[in-house]
Amino acid sequence: MSEADTGTQGSPTGPEHVDAAETATVRRRHGPLRSLPATGLIGLLIVAAVVAVALVSLVWTPHDPLQAVPEQRLSGPTPQHPLGTDRYGRDVASILMAGAQVTLAVGCVAVAIAVLIGTPLGVLAGMRRGWTEELVMRGSDVVLAFPALLLAIMASAIMGASTWSAMAAIGLASVPGFARVARAGTLQVMSSDFVLAARVAAQPEARIARRHVLPNIVGLVVVQASVTFALAILAEAALSFLGLGTPPPEPSWGRMLQSAQDHLAVAPHLAVWPGLAIALAVLGFNLLGDGLRDVLDPRTRGRR
């Protein structure tokens, strides 16, 4: 065998290794955002727009979203009210902007609850195995047997209609998803050589989880969080539409849909704008989740 063949086939400087090294160098140089596919970048732009609207509404809206003007009720688009007014004469654009605050707040708190409860449970199940794994996974199966929205409705009905109850209900209903993702990632990490070496060295399990497991599954958790955020937006809108979420007069996209159903014949714009806002927000987080999966998930990254 020639020296050139040896360098190509047996040496770590072959084409495959060079490509992998170049890919890693480019990713470190430009960051993960440069590695996002086009759909992921579109999702990131939509999410950034929603966040920007929510932040701007904290300090400015075209009109007071809670100020009623009966003389202007159910009016169509005008120069003063580009998106029209609702049945109380309130500016729809201002309500939409303020409603973005509630939507993002519910999503953030719900995802935080699911991450803080589901991820440790999944890591514990993947590391301990045995009866611990069976208990966590069977409990997750029981929760997943019921639709997440149904569980959120039941929890909101028990705790009462409020934004905080909606946050808690959606977060608890999302725990099994994070537990399953964290367990799957932990099982892969636990079979690696560096974890086996750490166990041979008699390192405590808490140290192994902190130094080896969690850093290697954070990408999977981030992807799951972005997808769960989109589901939380839908769940909050559904709960508010049913009267179990954000109570009036606090602005909410789901509450806007509920108020619009009685006036669809004379003012269809009342349902169009909140419905479009919900659809765009959900689409943005889903596209961002797909893009992050391509970048952070080692399985999809290998296929790319």
Side-chain angles (χ1 to χ4, degrees), residues 86-97:
D86 66 358
R87 60 178 178 176
Y88 300 111
R90 299 176 300 182
D91 182 57
V92 172
S94 301
I95 300 174
L96 272 178
M97 293 178 64

Side-chain angles (χ1 to χ4, degrees), residues 159-300:
M159 294 184 290
S162 68
T163 304
W164 287 104
S165 64
M167 294 175 181
I170 297 170
L172 294 176
S174 304
V175 166
F178 283 89
R180 285 177 168 270
V181 168
R183 170 185 170 271
T186 301
L187 290 177
Q188 291 183 343
V189 176
M190 293 302 291
S191 61
S192 58
D193 293 338
F194 56 87
V195 172
L196 295 177
R199 283 191 156 183
V200 171
Q203 292 188 8
E205 288 190 350
R207 181 183 177 89
I208 295 176
R210 185 178 65 255
R211 295 193 59 184
H212 301 297
V213 176
L214 290 177
N216 284 284
I217 67 172
V218 65
L220 300 176
V221 174
V222 169
V223 172
Q224 180 69 16
S226 63
V227 176
T228 303
F229 208 112
L231 297 177
I233 293 175
L234 282 176
E236 187 279 329
L239 290 175
S240 297
F241 182 83
L242 296 173
L244 298 173
T246 304
E250 190 174 359
S252 167
W253 293 347
R255 183 68 64 177
M256 293 177 69
L257 287 176
Q258 182 195 46
S259 301
Q261 62 180 340
D262 295 330
H263 307 282
L264 291 178
V266 294
H269 65 277
L270 296 180
V272 170
W273 299 118
L276 184 61
I278 294 171
L280 282 176
V282 171
L283 176 65
F285 279 100
N286 277 329
L287 291 178
L288 179 60
D290 291 341
L292 291 175
R293 181 179 293 109
D294 290 343
V295 175
L296 300 177
D297 192 334
R299 293 168 295 182
T300 56

